[in-house]
Amino acid sequence: MDELDRAIINELQGGFPISDQPFAEVAARFNITEQELIARIDSLLENKVLSRFGPMYHAERMGGSLSLAAMKIPVEDFERVAEIVNAMPEVAHNYARDHILSMWFVLATETPQAHARALKKIERETGYPVYDMPKIKEYFVGLKLTA
């Protein structure tokens, strides 16, 4: 990652323009082409410097459902269960914790009914219960990490 990559990451944490040509608009701020900006973002994703590049939606405001979920998975079965959970398009990300609830993931669906179906599917396919923790109240914490 060079200085331009760092500057791009820092700039994009503040938001992405909503316009007919958002990549061209951002690229102009750095005096580079739209194609170079897209190639740099692709490279940052491919090299795992960034894990994701895209919009964040308020699923509930759009009629959907979103929750944090956790599972108690024995170490010897963690990889198998992670493979099942990660294969589901409703799972945004999944991570291990050194805790009795060893697997945590975010589940997002288009409807509350689809959310319930996804939870049941995970339980059925893994053989373990899912502890679903829907959001009660939303807080905004403005965190910006400088690269």
Side-chain angles (χ1 to χ4, degrees):
M1 181 167 65
D2 64 15
E3 289 304 314
L4 182 53
D5 287 338
R6 281 183 173 80
I8 290 168
I9 290 170
N10 290 337
E11 177 73 16
L12 293 181
Q13 287 184 79
F16 198 70
I18 298 174
S19 68
D20 290 340
Q21 295 183 305
F23 288 94
E25 190 175 317
V26 172
R29 297 177 198 167
F30 296 103
N31 295 314
I32 60 174
T33 66
E34 179 179 23
Q35 293 75 20
E36 183 179 355
L37 175 67
I38 292 169
R40 284 177 172 271
I41 293 169
D42 285 344
S43 176
L44 291 167
L45 289 165
E46 185 177 305
N47 292 317
K48 308 284 189 229
V49 174
L50 297 178
S51 59
R52 180 181 179 280
F53 177 81
M56 294 188 66
Y57 299 101
H58 289 278
E60 299 93 344
R61 291 183 190 170
M62 298 173 9
S65 182
L66 180 77
S67 70
L68 179 62
M71 299 173 75
K72 295 178 186 178
I73 308 299
V75 173
E76 63 273 6
D77 207 16
F78 195 90
E79 290 304 316
R80 179 190 71 84
V81 173
E83 201 171 294
I84 293 167
V85 171
N86 291 342
M88 297 190 62
E90 300 90 349
V91 174
H93 58 274
N94 178 2
Y95 48 99
R97 286 286 175 117
D98 185 19
H99 185 272
I100 192 165
L101 295 173
S102 56
M103 181 178 291
W104 292 74
F105 54 92
V106 173
L107 188 68
T109 58
E110 292 183 13
T111 66
Q113 297 81 8
H115 195 94
R117 286 192 302 272
L119 290 170
K120 286 180 184 172
K121 180 179 179 182
I122 292 169
E123 290 182 339
R124 184 178 62 251
E125 291 187 10
T126 65
Y128 295 98
V130 177
Y131 298 89
D132 189 38
M133 296 169 264
K135 173 176 56 182
I136 296 170
K137 185 173 180 180
E138 185 168 329
Y139 297 90
F140 176 76
V141 177
L143 173 66
K144 184 175 179 182
L145 305 173
T146 54

